[in-house]
Amino acid sequence: MAFLLHYLFITAIISAVSFLLHRSSRHRRLRLPPGNLGLPLVGETLQLIAAYKTENPEPFIDERVRRYGSIFTTHVFGEPTVFSSEPETNRFILQNEGKLFECSYPGSISNLLGKHSLLLMKGSLHKKMHSLTMSFANSSIIKDHLLVDIDRLIRLNLDSWTDRVFLMEEAKKVTKK
């Protein structure tokens, strides 16, 4: 029995070390910017979520910018992710989307959104769906009736706000009416 426990313990340690070595070699192989991939599997997802539950989520980004520079790598939502805090770099990326860069979400987010989400569509399909959506949104029925009702609901909700507002809670109130 003791031999079996000892064997399992050694196997677990060897597996953990090989996982970490594989992970770090993959990180080097991808030639990602400097950063911290955090804990195995979870990465820094919990820190990111915790930051967005506070009044000021920027320290998550600011701390990493201070440590690694304005472009850094982290591991969130199950995948290594490159963050950029430089407006010029972000503009360059957005202007070259579909040419030099391909827009994507981590697999876990894609699963939540669904494979037919407009946010996940690319290229000509995205342009067609966006055009269809915008033509629907610009129709007179939407403008004359639905938007008037939405505006009324938003204004009623805004009037009830006090000095402190939790945006997520307020958005839930508006969308449930």
Side-chain angles (χ1 to χ4, degrees):
M1 179 71 170
F3 174 75
L4 181 62
L5 288 175
H6 184 67
Y7 176 75
L8 288 174
F9 179 72
I10 290 175
T11 304
I13 290 194
I14 291 172
S15 297
V17 168
S18 66
F19 174 77
L20 292 173
L21 288 174
H22 171 73
R23 185 173 171 206
S24 66
S25 68
R26 181 175 171 236
H27 178 65
R28 281 192 301 272
R29 200 170 53 242
L30 292 174
R31 299 186 58 199
L32 297 173
N36 179 12
L37 296 181
L39 298 170
L41 303 176
V42 178
E44 294 188 306
T45 303
L46 299 177
Q47 292 96 319
L48 179 66
I49 290 171
Y52 275 91
K53 287 189 169 222
T54 67
E55 292 178 20
N56 182 17
E58 285 83 17
F60 176 85
I61 305 291
D62 293 342
E63 178 185 326
R64 282 145 187 86
V65 167
R66 189 177 65 254
R67 207 182 289 165
Y68 305 112
S70 60
I71 300 174
F72 63 91
T73 302
T74 185
H75 188 275
V76 291
F77 302 112
E79 293 183 18
T81 304
V82 176
F83 272 75
S84 168
S85 64
E86 290 182 341
E88 301 83 29
T89 302
N90 295 340
R91 189 175 302 109
F92 178 78
I93 291 169
L94 291 172
Q95 288 174 340
N96 288 288
E97 199 268 316
K99 300 170 198 153
L100 299 174
F101 299 93
E102 185 173 303
C103 177
S104 67
Y105 286 91
S108 55
I109 301 296
S110 299
N111 289 339
L112 283 173
L113 293 173
K115 65 181 180 181
H116 300 295
S117 170
L118 183 60
L119 292 172
L120 299 178
M121 293 179 187
K122 296 176 183 158
S124 62
L125 178 60
H126 180 268
K127 285 181 181 177
K128 287 178 188 173
M129 292 303 290
H130 185 266
S131 174
L132 238 161
T133 305
M134 292 312 294
S135 65
F136 174 73
N138 288 330
S139 73
S140 62
I141 294 170
I142 297 293
K143 284 181 181 175
D144 297 339
H145 300 287
L146 186 61
L147 290 180
V148 172
D149 289 339
I150 290 172
D151 183 63
R152 184 180 49 78
L153 284 171
I154 298 285
R155 289 178 187 275
L156 281 171
N157 202 35
L158 284 172
D159 290 340
S160 71
W161 286 8
T162 60
D163 59 332
R164 190 167 187 177
V165 176
F166 294 101
L167 190 56
M168 182 67 90
E169 296 302 317
E170 297 303 323
K172 286 179 185 176
K173 288 179 190 174
V174 170
T175 56
K176 288 182 181 179
K177 292 184 179 182

